[in-house]
Amino acid sequence: MGLFTELKDSISRVTDRLFSEQEPKRIGIYGPPNAGKTTLANRIARDWTGDAIGAESHIPHETRRARRKEGVEIERNGKSVTIDIVDTPGVTTKVDYEEFTDEMEEDDAIRRSREATEGVAEAMHWLREDVDGVIYVLDSAEDPITQVNTMLIGIIESRDLPVLIFANKIDLDDSSVKRIEDAFPQHKTVPLSAKEGENMDEVYENIAEYFG
């Protein structure tokens, strides 16, 4: 009888461990084009896995398809979370091929604008259906009060998703974190420079706490 009880307890402990392990949280990285979303995604992925997610560029809409890095475990101050990073295309209300013609031939610019438009639709699908939380990246040197930002933050709030706002590019002279804090006071704003790696400790502390 003792052997049976020990076996039963052992099976119970294994079962409890299996069911207590949570699935990774799908965290979408959102924001307007050229806010530094992929730079941030790459910074996080490299810091915790050694691998990058996608190409970075100064040309808008370099990311035109959502890219995913699975099983990124982040630990800070005794808290940890395992996330799947979803690096989404920049969302905008209009993609005009002419904004690319200074950098590439017209045919390539038209193709890029078409792919970027499709990318916006894909990003919106992920937001409405497939993410558990959002990191919203803004260029702190730009005015945050835009139609796109207001719309996306509204959708995130309507889905009751946890969201962190990251005020990126604090290395720029025109950076103003307060401008972003004032625009969206209902959400936590974390300053950083994904390019330079500034303030990444606070970034990881907030990710582990907010999404864990």
Side-chain angles (χ1 to χ4, degrees):
M1 190 69 178
L3 180 61
F4 175 77
T5 301
E6 289 178 9
L7 181 60
K8 181 180 177 182
D9 289 344
S10 178
I11 293 173
S12 178
R13 286 193 297 270
V14 172
T15 303
D16 288 344
R17 282 199 302 271
L18 285 173
F19 284 97
S20 65
E21 292 179 358
Q22 295 183 343
E23 289 291 315
K25 307 287 181 62
R26 290 184 302 272
I27 305 301
I29 299 181
Y30 278 82
N34 267 21
K37 297 179 297 299
T38 299
T39 303
L40 174 63
N42 284 339
R43 172 73 62 178
I44 295 172
R46 285 195 184 105
D47 282 353
W48 296 97
T49 72
D51 299 322
I53 292 179
E56 303 168 25
S57 173
H58 67 282
I59 306 174
H61 300 286
E62 179 65 26
T63 301
R64 300 184 295 283
R65 287 289 180 271
R67 291 179 285 218
R68 185 169 171 173
K69 182 67 176 177
E70 299 181 339
V72 179
E73 186 175 356
I74 295 173
E75 299 181 7
R76 271 296 182 273
N77 296 335
K79 296 183 179 181
S80 67
V81 63
T82 301
I83 63 175
D84 292 347
I85 300 172
V86 184
D87 179 27
T88 67
V91 176
T92 184
T93 54
K94 181 182 179 182
V95 182
D96 189 340
Y97 81 92
E98 291 184 348
E99 65 181 297
F100 309 123
T101 53
D102 288 342
E103 304 285 348
M104 59 190 70
E105 296 296 326
E106 183 171 317
D107 287 349
D108 293 331
I110 292 172
R111 185 182 308 109
R112 190 182 185 94
S113 66
R114 183 173 61 248
E115 291 173 351
T117 301
E118 294 169 354
V120 170
E122 183 185 13
M124 297 307 295
H125 171 79
W126 274 94
L127 183 58
R128 291 191 172 99
E129 305 290 339
D130 292 319
V131 295
D132 302 310
V134 172
I135 290 171
Y136 199 83
V137 182
L138 289 170
D139 181 343
S140 60
E142 298 289 338
D143 185 355
I145 303 177
T146 66
Q147 180 181 357
V148 167
N149 292 334
T150 302
M151 175 191 70
L152 286 177
I153 293 294
I155 293 172
I156 292 164
E157 291 174 343
S158 71
R159 288 208 56 217
D160 200 26
L161 293 170
V163 56
L164 283 170
I165 295 180
F166 284 180
N168 193 25
K169 304 189 182 182
I170 59 172
D171 54 299
L172 300 181
D173 292 338
D174 294 336
S175 169
S176 173
V177 176
K178 187 177 185 302
R179 184 166 49 190
I180 293 176
E181 291 173 333
D182 290 345
F184 303 105
Q186 70 274 36
H187 299 296
K188 177 70 177 289
T189 296
V190 182
L192 76 148
S193 170
K195 179 181 178 181
E196 302 297 334
E198 293 183 37
N199 206 38
M200 292 307 296
D201 281 341
E202 185 178 350
V203 165
Y204 295 137
E205 286 172 10
N206 278 276
I207 290 175
E209 179 178 351
Y210 245 69
F211 302 124

